[in-house]
Amino acid sequence: MTEPEAILRMTGIRKEFPGVVALDDVDFRMFPGEVHALMGENGAGKSTLIKTLTGVHGIDAGTIELGGSAVSFAGPPEAQRAGVSTVYQEVNLCPNLSVAENIFIGREPRRFGRIHWAGMRRRAEVLLGALDLRLDVSAGLGSQSIAVQQMVAIARALDVSARVLVLDEPTSSLDAGEVEQLLKVLRSLREDGMAILFVSHFIDQVFAIADRMTVLRNGKLVGEYRTSDITPVELVTRMIGKELEVLDDLEESAHDRSDLAAAPVFLQADGLSRKGAVAPFSLEIRQGEVVGLAGLLGSGRTELARLLFGADHSDSGTLTVDGAVVPMRTPRAGMDHRIAFSPEDRKTEGLVGELTVRENIVLALQAARGWSRPLSRKRQDELAARYVAALDIRPTSPETLVRNLSGGNQQKVLLARWLITEPRLLILDEPTRGIDIGAKTEIQRLVAKLSGDGMAVLFISAELEEVLRLSHRVTVLRDRKVVAQLDNESLTADEIMSIIAEGSSA
Amino acid sequence: MSTLTRVKEYRPQQRHLPMIATLVLLVAAYGYGASQYPAFGSGQVVFNLFINYSWLLVVAIGMTFVILTGGIDLSVGSVVALSTVLSAELLTKHGWSAPAVIVLVLAVGALLGTGMGALIHYFEIQPFIATLVGLFFARGLCLTISTEAPSIDNAVFTSIAQTQIPLPGDSHVSISVVIALVVVVIAGYVLHYTRFGRTVYAVGGSEQSAVLMGLKVARTKVSVYALSGFCSALGGLLLVFYKLSGDPLSAIGTELDAIAAVVIGGTILSGGSGYVVGTVLGVLVLGMIQTLIDFDGTLSSWWTKIVIGALLFGFIVLQRLIARRAR
Ligand SMILES: Nc1ncnc2c1ncn2[C@@H]1O[C@H](COP(=O)(O)OP(=O)(O)OP(=O)(O)O)[C@@H](O)[C@H]1O
Ligand SMILES: [Mg+2]
């Protein structure tokens, strides 16, 4: 069998940013009718390779051929016209426009020379329906969860009849059902002969969908493999350049609740609720306890967490911290009670791209101390250095602008910011979103250690395995209601899935 | 979805709230005026609002486009003045024909706007600064051309100025009102039904996203300033029709009135949300307050400024509250 003609061929690509060589002599090719996974640790250069393809960044050396002829796109619109449709890692949509418009803007269906709104809404419903998403498409995008926004971005890319579809971490904020749905759509596109570039840190997803994979490490090409020729362990080894340490010691200690029963309750919610966000629920978190929140997207996980922190105020119920009822109406109140909240949306709620890693890390601590008591530069450097090392943030210079960090490394900076405030309750909303498996393990270890030292943690993640690995107790949400609270002794992901599906604990 | 459930589910949309608030305010102000002064109740009071402020309305429509992209245009007042001066100068001293003057004036406005738009987009100069430069430049140009305010007796101009279009109920409006309303309708159509219009909103929502979505951001950003320049020039012509003179010192501070009207009309200063209908209401509110003060007769017109300031404050607070609740 002769190899078919490659639709995309990138050869000898080099890209330098001031002080970093992001890509060094990288070759990459894709064939029609295949899903090609681009793999590598955080900062390996995956997103950069994609951006050089679509003309967001120019290249310093190398050639790009699309369908046999050399191309050099001046920017995303040109790439799009040539048949390269891309969903970038950060959701790039307009929150002020409706869901339907975000899918179609720039190529709206028109009739009599004007935008045909009704037709646009109908087509949006059909497209999202194919992704198993049913919602009011004329609602504003800004009021939707990150997951929905991600699906909308994907729907937008799918609508273009492209030859090459590029998806940079499309699944990082989706739950299992949605991932399945997306993979199904990708399979059918593959049948139609589309070439799909897929980036994900979830090894099992990659093995489920990819035909071929290219591995990058530190901006260099490690190799190209057929999925059938490589095992997950080999893949990970190639990605990180050494063997992955396993987390079994963690599993042991994490579930040991014996000394927790005696620990004082740090925070207790009684009948707390907010209309349209979460139905009344009760929850207690003890010092040193990790409570996991499980549930599908839109089940109210983030909303529940926001109530505990005071980011939203509740309509009913009471919140007790250290045995005293407190009105938790503003995030400031949360901070005063040493509750820290690391939000899921790092772009709009978290990081300041124009500041350095160090400045971003000390931001929350500085705010908690008050601006009249500035942290000394020496102390800032110390803290930054410690957490850059602990979380393996790369590049390691704390003076790098956060804007220039890779997606996963930005997430680590956000996490570091809340960790250094040494909160008594740390709320982590999707903390490992977009983080590679090596670093994920590090973060999980850190959470386990902190809880061992007495910090209470509320851990929200779409990944059930991760919730189970870390939590002492799991609270399950469905349709904005708490439907079960379970001790994590011999709980399995399947049990939680069936509770989520049925809506009650058996 | 059936019509019935639609009706049941109807709630004013959050993004319409500021506009609805403006409408309520406008009706209340009119009701108050009518209860205090019998003459206020006649329809002509409302039509006079349009007659007196049609020029400001056109300027504010251009401003709406700019603010929707998240920008600002401080040059509008100067461009209005430049248009009046150019018209007077060319008509009275150089004997140009009316159509030629009108075309030239509109072209100059659009050109100035394009220049500022290019500065803003390609040289990444803050809109505030670039249009401030435009403000000084156009005003300076006015004073170089003429330091006095000659009156205009061109036949076409005077006939446009004096024509009254009768309306039922013994009222009338001017040709300028018709022109302004046509501009409003076109602007509304463009914003809602064309790709350019939707891109204006997208740029205001997130410029970076708009670029990555493959929208024509550069063209759109330059175009809104060109459009605002054009609208200012047209507003200037309407002002000429209204006053029949060209004054280099006219329309000082108009940029602030226009911005106030846009904001009172519910358009958010950071961009991405607002409607031309809101701007119409905003201009009417400004005019209504002025009219109330005129009717009262004892208050100085500085009261207008104070009331406008208070209103602006109220609306910005309202917008903040709404934005916070919508989260
Ligand atoms: N605009 C930029 N300026 C300077 N450095 C940059 C810029 N963009 C990326 N980099 C650097 O290039 C390297 C590769 O980043 P890239 O975003 O491609 O990583 P990635 O493989 O996508 O990682 P992740 O899995 O975290 O998304 C990183 O070291 C990053 O800090
Ligand atoms: Mg990336």
mmCIF file of all heavy atoms in Angstrom, chain A residues 41-48 50-51 89-90 168-169 199 201 346 405-408 434, ligand 2:
data_model
loop_
_atom_site.group_PDB
_atom_site.id
_atom_site.type_symbol
_atom_site.label_atom_id
_atom_site.label_comp_id
_atom_site.label_asym_id
_atom_site.label_seq_id
_atom_site.Cartn_x
_atom_site.Cartn_y
_atom_site.Cartn_z
ATOM 1 N N GLU A 41 4.219 17.789 26.934
ATOM 2 C CA GLU A 41 3.942 18.399 28.233
ATOM 3 C C GLU A 41 3.501 19.844 28.075
ATOM 4 O O GLU A 41 3.573 20.401 26.986
ATOM 5 C CB GLU A 41 5.229 18.409 29.058
ATOM 6 C CG GLU A 41 5.720 17.081 29.494
ATOM 7 C CD GLU A 41 7.027 17.281 30.253
ATOM 8 O OE1 GLU A 41 8.064 17.515 29.623
ATOM 9 O OE2 GLU A 41 6.970 17.214 31.490
ATOM 10 N N ASN A 42 3.135 20.469 29.179
ATOM 11 C CA ASN A 42 2.821 21.894 29.147
ATOM 12 C C ASN A 42 4.054 22.647 28.684
ATOM 13 O O ASN A 42 5.142 22.449 29.214
ATOM 14 C CB ASN A 42 2.439 22.406 30.540
ATOM 15 C CG ASN A 42 1.133 21.816 31.034
ATOM 16 O OD1 ASN A 42 1.024 21.425 32.181
ATOM 17 N ND2 ASN A 42 0.148 21.746 30.174
ATOM 18 N N GLY A 43 3.873 23.497 27.699
ATOM 19 C CA GLY A 43 4.996 24.290 27.217
ATOM 20 C C GLY A 43 5.841 23.581 26.181
ATOM 21 O O GLY A 43 6.879 24.086 25.771
ATOM 22 N N ALA A 44 5.402 22.414 25.731
ATOM 23 C CA ALA A 44 6.196 21.674 24.756
ATOM 24 C C ALA A 44 6.198 22.364 23.403
ATOM 25 O O ALA A 44 7.094 22.169 22.595
ATOM 26 C CB ALA A 44 5.658 20.251 24.617
ATOM 27 N N GLY A 45 5.168 23.161 23.147
ATOM 28 C CA GLY A 45 5.129 23.892 21.880
ATOM 29 C C GLY A 45 3.938 23.527 20.999
ATOM 30 O O GLY A 45 3.892 23.915 19.836
ATOM 31 N N LYS A 46 2.979 22.812 21.557
ATOM 32 C CA LYS A 46 1.831 22.361 20.759
ATOM 33 C C LYS A 46 1.027 23.542 20.221
ATOM 34 O O LYS A 46 0.786 23.654 19.014
ATOM 35 C CB LYS A 46 0.908 21.461 21.613
ATOM 36 C CG LYS A 46 1.622 20.268 22.225
ATOM 37 C CD LYS A 46 0.689 19.429 23.062
ATOM 38 C CE LYS A 46 0.150 20.118 24.298
ATOM 39 N NZ LYS A 46 1.141 20.441 25.324
ATOM 40 N N SER A 47 0.620 24.426 21.133
ATOM 41 C CA SER A 47 -0.192 25.560 20.692
ATOM 42 C C SER A 47 0.591 26.456 19.742
ATOM 43 O O SER A 47 0.038 27.010 18.794
ATOM 44 C CB SER A 47 -0.665 26.380 21.893
ATOM 45 O OG SER A 47 -1.397 25.570 22.765
ATOM 46 N N THR A 48 1.882 26.576 20.008
ATOM 47 C CA THR A 48 2.699 27.419 19.140
ATOM 48 C C THR A 48 2.754 26.840 17.732
ATOM 49 O O THR A 48 2.654 27.569 16.751
ATOM 50 C CB THR A 48 4.120 27.567 19.722
ATOM 51 O OG1 THR A 48 4.007 28.021 21.071
ATOM 52 C CG2 THR A 48 4.937 28.561 18.930
ATOM 53 N N ILE A 50 0.514 25.092 16.293
ATOM 54 C CA ILE A 50 -0.789 25.378 15.681
ATOM 55 C C ILE A 50 -0.862 26.828 15.223
ATOM 56 O O ILE A 50 -1.319 27.133 14.125
ATOM 57 C CB ILE A 50 -1.913 25.055 16.690
ATOM 58 C CG1 ILE A 50 -2.001 23.537 16.873
ATOM 59 C CG2 ILE A 50 -3.232 25.642 16.224
ATOM 60 C CD1 ILE A 50 -2.891 23.106 18.004
ATOM 61 N N LYS A 51 -0.362 27.718 16.080
ATOM 62 C CA LYS A 51 -0.446 29.132 15.726
ATOM 63 C C LYS A 51 0.479 29.495 14.568
ATOM 64 O O LYS A 51 0.200 30.438 13.830
ATOM 65 C CB LYS A 51 -0.152 30.001 16.942
ATOM 66 C CG LYS A 51 -1.296 29.941 17.949
ATOM 67 C CD LYS A 51 -1.053 30.822 19.141
ATOM 68 C CE LYS A 51 -2.227 30.759 20.101
ATOM 69 N NZ LYS A 51 -1.887 31.354 21.399
ATOM 70 N N GLN A 89 -6.786 27.144 22.073
ATOM 71 C CA GLN A 89 -6.852 26.583 23.424
ATOM 72 C C GLN A 89 -7.714 27.430 24.342
ATOM 73 O O GLN A 89 -8.550 26.920 25.072
ATOM 74 C CB GLN A 89 -5.434 26.462 23.975
ATOM 75 C CG GLN A 89 -5.353 25.822 25.339
ATOM 76 C CD GLN A 89 -3.912 25.490 25.701
ATOM 77 O OE1 GLN A 89 -2.973 25.890 25.013
ATOM 78 N NE2 GLN A 89 -3.732 24.768 26.770
ATOM 79 N N GLU A 90 -7.493 28.738 24.314
ATOM 80 C CA GLU A 90 -8.337 29.615 25.104
ATOM 81 C C GLU A 90 -9.599 29.829 24.284
ATOM 82 O O GLU A 90 -9.522 30.096 23.096
ATOM 83 C CB GLU A 90 -7.659 30.963 25.316
ATOM 84 C CG GLU A 90 -6.303 30.876 25.973
ATOM 85 C CD GLU A 90 -6.416 30.386 27.403
ATOM 86 O OE1 GLU A 90 -7.468 30.600 28.018
ATOM 87 O OE2 GLU A 90 -5.451 29.759 27.882
ATOM 88 N N ASP A 168 -7.356 22.540 19.669
ATOM 89 C CA ASP A 168 -6.339 22.612 20.722
ATOM 90 C C ASP A 168 -7.016 22.436 22.082
ATOM 91 O O ASP A 168 -7.689 23.340 22.561
ATOM 92 C CB ASP A 168 -5.605 23.963 20.630
ATOM 93 C CG ASP A 168 -4.321 23.983 21.453
ATOM 94 O OD1 ASP A 168 -4.072 22.996 22.185
ATOM 95 O OD2 ASP A 168 -3.574 24.969 21.372
ATOM 96 N N GLU A 169 -6.832 21.285 22.660
ATOM 97 C CA GLU A 169 -7.440 20.922 23.944
ATOM 98 C C GLU A 169 -8.944 21.195 23.995
ATOM 99 O O GLU A 169 -9.415 21.932 24.860
ATOM 100 C CB GLU A 169 -6.732 21.640 25.105
ATOM 101 C CG GLU A 169 -5.278 21.202 25.177
ATOM 102 C CD GLU A 169 -4.630 21.519 26.508
ATOM 103 O OE1 GLU A 169 -5.340 21.576 27.518
ATOM 104 O OE2 GLU A 169 -3.407 21.692 26.520
ATOM 105 N N VAL A 199 -5.467 17.937 20.171
ATOM 106 C CA VAL A 199 -4.540 18.059 21.291
ATOM 107 C C VAL A 199 -5.294 17.764 22.570
ATOM 108 O O VAL A 199 -6.406 18.263 22.768
ATOM 109 C CB VAL A 199 -3.953 19.488 21.394
ATOM 110 C CG1 VAL A 199 -2.998 19.594 22.570
ATOM 111 C CG2 VAL A 199 -3.252 19.882 20.111
ATOM 112 N N HIS A 201 -4.566 16.363 26.933
ATOM 113 C CA HIS A 201 -3.698 15.783 27.951
ATOM 114 C C HIS A 201 -4.291 14.491 28.497
ATOM 115 O O HIS A 201 -3.736 13.896 29.403
ATOM 116 C CB HIS A 201 -3.447 16.778 29.079
ATOM 117 C CG HIS A 201 -2.540 17.890 28.674
ATOM 118 N ND1 HIS A 201 -1.220 17.683 28.358
ATOM 119 C CD2 HIS A 201 -2.750 19.213 28.487
ATOM 120 C CE1 HIS A 201 -0.663 18.829 28.010
ATOM 121 N NE2 HIS A 201 -1.573 19.771 28.074
ATOM 122 N N ARG A 346 -9.640 30.941 33.882
ATOM 123 C CA ARG A 346 -8.431 31.689 34.218
ATOM 124 C C ARG A 346 -8.312 32.972 33.418
ATOM 125 O O ARG A 346 -7.668 33.906 33.820
ATOM 126 C CB ARG A 346 -7.189 30.842 34.017
ATOM 127 C CG ARG A 346 -6.978 30.415 32.576
ATOM 128 C CD ARG A 346 -5.641 29.720 32.432
ATOM 129 N NE ARG A 346 -5.557 29.120 31.114
ATOM 130 C CZ ARG A 346 -5.749 27.838 30.885
ATOM 131 N NH1 ARG A 346 -6.045 27.041 31.890
ATOM 132 N NH2 ARG A 346 -5.650 27.353 29.670
ATOM 133 N N LEU A 405 3.061 32.533 28.763
ATOM 134 C CA LEU A 405 3.145 31.157 29.228
ATOM 135 C C LEU A 405 2.207 30.270 28.430
ATOM 136 O O LEU A 405 1.193 30.725 27.915
ATOM 137 C CB LEU A 405 2.718 31.110 30.708
ATOM 138 C CG LEU A 405 3.818 30.882 31.745
ATOM 139 C CD1 LEU A 405 5.030 31.725 31.467
ATOM 140 C CD2 LEU A 405 3.276 31.150 33.124
ATOM 141 N N SER A 406 2.508 28.974 28.384
ATOM 142 C CA SER A 406 1.580 28.051 27.740
ATOM 143 C C SER A 406 0.355 27.901 28.642
ATOM 144 O O SER A 406 0.390 28.233 29.825
ATOM 145 C CB SER A 406 2.241 26.698 27.527
ATOM 146 O OG SER A 406 2.260 25.969 28.728
ATOM 147 N N GLY A 407 -0.737 27.401 28.057
ATOM 148 C CA GLY A 407 -2.010 27.311 28.781
ATOM 149 C C GLY A 407 -1.888 26.588 30.119
ATOM 150 O O GLY A 407 -2.365 27.057 31.153
ATOM 151 N N GLY A 408 -1.229 25.443 30.104
ATOM 152 C CA GLY A 408 -1.118 24.649 31.320
ATOM 153 C C GLY A 408 -0.295 25.375 32.377
ATOM 154 O O GLY A 408 -0.613 25.332 33.574
ATOM 155 N N GLY A 434 -6.320 21.351 31.621
ATOM 156 C CA GLY A 434 -5.252 21.674 30.679
ATOM 157 C C GLY A 434 -3.851 21.430 31.197
ATOM 158 O O GLY A 434 -2.882 21.923 30.639
HETATM 159 MG MG MG C 2 -1.308 24.832 24.546
#
